[in-house]
Each structure stands twice: as C-alpha cells, then as structure tokens.
Amino acid sequence: VCVWFTGLSGSGKTTTADGVVTLLRDRGRVVTVLDGDVVRTHLSKGLGFSREDRDTNVRRIGFVAGMEFAQPTREKLQGRADALHEEGLDPGRYVAHAAFTVEGGRQALRTILSQSNGNRPTGVICSNDLMAIGCIQEATSVGLRIPDDLSVVGFDGIDAATWTQPSLTTIEQPIAEIAQAVKRKRKSVL
C-alpha cells in the first residue's frame, strides 16, 4: 500500500500521516515513510544556473514565489540564494510572493518589474507551473518576449506547461522514481 499526501505546508499532512502510520503499524504492517519536504529540499538544490548561463547574461534572476509561509517556497528561495551566492550574484533582489495560481504569477511579476527601476531580471524561477504560466502571460502583456527578453522556469511538470507559446521550461518532480525508491526501501526493511 502506498499513501501519498500532498498539500500546502501546515495543512496537516504530517499529522495525518503519523496517524495512518500508527494505525498500520498497530495492525502489523510494515510502513516506510518518504517525506515530501525532504524530497523537495534535494530537488531545490538543482535550481542553480550554470556559469555558461550566467555568462550569457542570465545575471539577474528573479523568483516569482508562492506564499511566504509555505515550506516549498522557503526551500526554493534558499536554493536560489545558495546558487546565486555561489556565482557571486546578489540574491536579495527580484523576489515577490503571491498565491500559487496563474493570477498570482502575473501579480508577482508585475511587482518584480515595478521594483526593478528599469534593470529588470533576465530570468525568473517560479514556485510552480501555474505561476510560471501567469508570469509568461504578464511578461507578454508588457511586451517582453519569452525567452529572448525573459527566461521563465516553472516547477512541477504539469500538462499545461505545454500549452504556452513557447512551451514552458519546467522542473518535473520524478514521481515514478520516488515511488520506486519507496518500494526499494520497503523491500530492504522486509
């Protein structure tokens, strides 16, 4: 049996999962827990930009961020900051928080552009693909060309990522690989 909990940080996933684990173990079942927050932390480390990217003018990298209270947002924010620090770039600029929606993506990019004083970012990382789609819509509405004027990267790999023009670049969570890791871990415990 594989049970997968998903939702915003603070929504009760851990509490619910702990209860389910206790009930299953009380009934003699072997239970393996793979914490999504731990998985996201490891995936967020891959949000860096290469030296080649930086050298081709991806120097001002924004973050169209989800809600500040959300753990995935904080992890991605830290991953971005770490990657920019490694490249000698300032992580303190070009960040705006909004809802994890298309409209939230539009709103966050508007905020970033209004605060950039004519020195706008050349690329943005978005908390999820819906926000990235909104970011593309907003950028296009103000005359920016994707990816020529602004590179946009989403996170999740949802089907709608292929509906934009051009198609959205997205970091897809390897759900099948994660499920296989759980199966391997369970077998090793048995």
Side-chain angles (χ1 to χ4, degrees), residues 65-86:
M67 304 304 284
E68 288 184 79
F69 66 84
Q71 185 69 28
T73 299
R74 293 193 308 267
E75 291 167 353
K76 289 172 188 160
L77 187 62
Q78 186 61 54
R80 173 185 171 269
D82 292 346
L84 292 177
H85 274 301
E86 284 178 19

Side-chain angles (χ1 to χ4, degrees), residues 49 58 62 120-126 135-136 145-153:
F49 287 85
V58 180
R120 65 169 176 73
T122 54
V124 292
I125 299 166
C126 301
C135 182
I136 289 172
R145 296 168 299 148
I146 308 297
D148 300 327
D149 300 324
L150 184 69
S151 299
V152 177
V153 177

Side-chain angles (χ1 to χ4, degrees), residues 79-98:
R80 173 185 171 269
D82 292 346
L84 292 177
H85 274 301
E86 284 178 19
E87 295 299 324
L89 302 172
D90 177 14
R93 298 182 62 197
Y94 311 118
V95 176
H97 295 272

Side-chain angles (χ1 to χ4, degrees):
V1 174
C2 178
V3 181
W4 191 284
F5 294 99
T6 185
L8 293 174
S9 182
S11 65
K13 296 182 306 291
T14 301
T15 303
T16 303
D18 288 346
V20 170
V21 166
T22 299
L23 289 171
L24 289 171
R25 285 184 177 150
D26 287 349
R27 288 172 176 73
R29 301 295 295 225
V30 175
V31 178
T32 302
V33 177
L34 182 61
D35 189 316
D37 290 336
V38 172
V39 172
R40 267 192 303 280
T41 298
H42 293 293
L43 290 173
S44 295
K45 291 179 182 174
L47 292 176
F49 287 85
S50 70
R51 184 167 304 285
E52 180 180 302
D53 290 333
R54 188 191 76 195
D55 292 345
T56 58
N57 203 28
V58 180
R59 297 177 176 273
R60 297 180 308 276
I61 301 164
F63 183 30
V64 171
M67 304 304 284
E68 288 184 79
F69 66 84
Q71 185 69 28
T73 299
R74 293 193 308 267
E75 291 167 353
K76 289 172 188 160
L77 187 62
Q78 186 61 54
R80 173 185 171 269
D82 292 346
L84 292 177
H85 274 301
E86 284 178 19
E87 295 299 324
L89 302 172
D90 177 14
R93 298 182 62 197
Y94 311 118
V95 176
H97 295 272
F100 292 98
T101 62
V102 171
E103 183 53 39
R106 292 188 74 134
Q107 175 188 349
L109 185 63
R110 268 193 306 273
T111 300
I112 290 170
L113 293 176
S114 71
Q115 295 173 351
S116 65
N117 298 322
N119 197 21
R120 65 169 176 73
T122 54
V124 292
I125 299 166
C126 301
S127 276
N128 67 20
D129 288 345
L130 289 177
M131 294 185 85
I133 290 167
C135 182
I136 289 172
Q137 290 175 352
E138 186 63 25
T140 303
S141 77
V142 298
L144 295 175
R145 296 168 299 148
I146 308 297
D148 300 327
D149 300 324
L150 184 69
S151 299
V152 177
V153 177
F155 196 94
D156 286 336
I158 63 172
D159 289 342
T162 62
W163 301 347
T164 62
Q165 288 298 322
S167 293
L168 176 64
T169 299
T170 182
I171 298 169
E172 187 171 350
Q173 296 187 53
I175 302 302
E177 291 175 34
I178 293 168
Q180 289 300 318
V182 169
K183 286 169 76 175
R184 283 192 302 274
K185 189 171 180 184
R186 280 193 64 216
K187 285 181 181 179
S188 71
V189 171
L190 297 175

